[in-house]
């Protein structure tokens, strides 16, 4: 299959990237990060998460962050919600797109949210019903699609079943996540083909962590299967608190550089994105996680 002419990057740094930082980041800095990302031309920026502050203290200021950002017309700012309480909090500050999450691994779901896959879906089923009534778009996440830190291999049939359920429940897009970054291109492409046989490929996105350095290769393999939406995190921030050793998400700068090199449009200003990544790395007090960001800084 020919590569897509245009790819939409879903920037997950402000939520998936920051939620695993131990040092609490100031609300004003989170707002500044999202506003900087908006200025780069990104069309989708996951702003925050309305989960219990007890579980994710870093995002306890979700309402303040979302209320403080400058929302640009035409740009989507989805927020993660685990249940109806989270949905209520998100709607109270004007969120018009939310995301729900589960995993393809029963063991991971038990460790992560203390529920089975079916129980997790039942928890957010009313969220999808209310969102449909409210005209709110819902994105779905499926974690551990290529491996689980607790059970090891995850049967592709389980990935297909969970992705199909999310789509049938009303998620306009389902993001397939290699949570611990163990996937390789052949496995990634095979998994995607299997899911695309049950869910339209236009409704699928991919989300790769770079633990074994395979993320860009995996993304390219999935682009060749027709995917045109890629999750990424500026400066490669992120990880998974429930997956020991899982490094950050693939860096947005590195993905955009690859896409532009392939002649694929993104609408993103790479130099502005790289500058934002360097700013964020400075804020976090460490070197940036993007090879492209480091190369451009040295050029």
């Amino acid at each position: 299959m020919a590569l897509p002419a245009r790819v939409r990057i879903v920037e997950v740094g402000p939520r998936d990237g920051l939620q695993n930082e131990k040092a609490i980041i100031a609300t004003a800095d989170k707002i500044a990060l999202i506003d900087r990302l908006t200025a780069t031309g990104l069309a989708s920026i996951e702003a925050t998460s309305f989960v219990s502050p007890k579980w994710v203290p870093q995002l306890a200021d979700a309402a303040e962050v979302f209320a403080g950002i400058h929302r640009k017309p035409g740009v989507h700012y989805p927020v993660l919600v685990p249940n109806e309480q989270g949905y209520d909090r998100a709607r109270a500050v004007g969120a018009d797109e939310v995301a729900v999450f589960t995993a393809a691994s029963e063991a991971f779901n038990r460790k992560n949210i203390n529920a089975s896959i079916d129980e997790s879906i039942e928890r957010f089923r009313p969220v999808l019903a209310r969102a449909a009534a409210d005209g709110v778009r819902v994105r779905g996440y499926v974690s551990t699609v290529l491996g689980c830190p607790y059970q090891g291999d995850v049967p592709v049939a389980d990935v297909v079943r969970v992705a199909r359920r999310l789509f049938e429940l009303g998620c306009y897009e389902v993001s397939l996540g290699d949570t611990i970054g163990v996937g390789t291109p052949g496995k990634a492409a095979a998994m995607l083909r299997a899911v695309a046989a049950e869910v339209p490929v236009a409704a699928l996105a991919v989300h790769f962590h770079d633990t074994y350095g395979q993320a860009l290769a995996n993304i390219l393999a999935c682009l060749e299967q027709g995917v045109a939406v890629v999750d990424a995190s500026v400066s490669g921030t992120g990880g998974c608190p429930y997956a020991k050793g899982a490094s950050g998400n693939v860096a947005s700068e590195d993905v955009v550089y690859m896409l532009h090199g392939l002649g694929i449009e993104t609408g993103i200003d790479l130099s502005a994105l790289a500058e934002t990544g360097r700013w964020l790395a400075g804020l976090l007090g460490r070197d940036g996680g993007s090879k492209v960001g480091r190369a451009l800084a040295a050029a």
Side-chain angles (χ1 to χ4, degrees):
M1 182 177 290
L3 294 171
R6 187 178 183 90
V7 164
R8 175 165 54 87
I9 300 293
V10 177
E11 173 57 57
V12 300
R15 194 278 301 176
D16 198 22
L18 297 188
Q19 73 176 12
N20 296 309
E21 294 296 325
K22 291 182 173 62
I24 298 297
I25 297 156
T27 301
D29 288 331
K30 294 173 186 170
I31 292 169
L33 171 61
I34 296 168
D35 287 348
R36 282 172 174 262
L37 291 168
T38 297
T40 68
L42 282 155
S44 297
I45 304 168
E46 192 176 53
T48 187
S49 173
F50 287 86
V51 298
S52 169
K54 180 175 70 172
W55 295 111
V56 187
Q58 182 69 260
L59 303 181
D61 57 357
E64 292 81 3
V65 168
F66 197 85
I69 62 176
H70 295 90
R71 295 162 67 186
K72 181 180 177 181
V75 177
H76 295 284
Y77 299 91
V79 297
L80 203 68
V81 300
N83 49 35
E84 282 192 278
Q85 184 179 6
Y87 181 78
D88 288 338
R89 291 174 57 208
R91 290 291 288 154
V93 291
D96 57 12
E97 180 171 340
V98 301
V100 296
F101 57 95
T102 189
S105 158
E106 288 285 0
F108 187 83
N109 252 338
R110 290 287 183 191
K111 290 277 190 177
N112 189 4
I113 58 175
N114 194 31
S116 69
I117 294 172
D118 289 342
E119 287 168 344
S120 69
I121 291 174
E122 288 305 311
R123 286 181 187 177
F124 58 67
R125 185 188 292 272
V127 170
L128 283 149
R130 289 180 57 187
D134 294 342
V136 171
R137 303 199 324 160
V138 183
R139 194 170 195 257
Y141 282 103
V142 183
S143 301
T144 62
V145 299
L146 290 170
C148 169
Y150 309 114
Q151 76 176 51
D153 290 340
V154 175
V156 172
D158 291 349
V159 181
V160 173
R161 177 176 62 87
V162 175
R164 184 178 63 234
R165 286 189 69 182
L166 292 185
F167 181 70
E168 289 173 347
L169 281 169
C171 291
Y172 79 92
E173 187 167 278
V174 178
S175 175
L176 304 168
D178 182 12
T179 310
I180 55 173
V182 295
T184 51
K187 288 183 177 179
M191 178 275 298
L192 184 64
R193 280 195 300 272
V195 177
E198 301 281 344
V199 179
V201 73
L204 296 174
V206 291
H207 183 122
F208 288 105
H209 286 230
D210 205 29
T211 313
Y212 286 84
Q214 302 294 295
L216 287 176
N218 290 342
I219 289 168
L220 179 56
C222 291
L223 293 173
E224 291 171 343
Q225 300 300 317
V227 155
V229 184
V230 177
D231 296 358
S233 181
V234 65
S235 197
T237 51
C240 178
Y242 303 97
K244 188 176 181 180
S247 62
N249 292 286
V250 65
S252 304
E253 302 95 312
D254 297 358
V255 176
V256 171
Y257 181 83
M258 180 182 76
L259 294 174
H260 289 179
L262 291 167
I264 297 172
E265 295 180 14
T266 66
I268 296 168
D269 181 333
L270 178 57
S271 62
L273 184 64
E275 174 56 36
T276 298
R278 289 191 290 272
W279 172 84
L280 177 59
L283 188 68
L284 298 174
R286 60 170 179 260
D287 291 338
S290 163
K291 288 184 171 62
V292 167
R294 293 197 295 270
L296 290 177

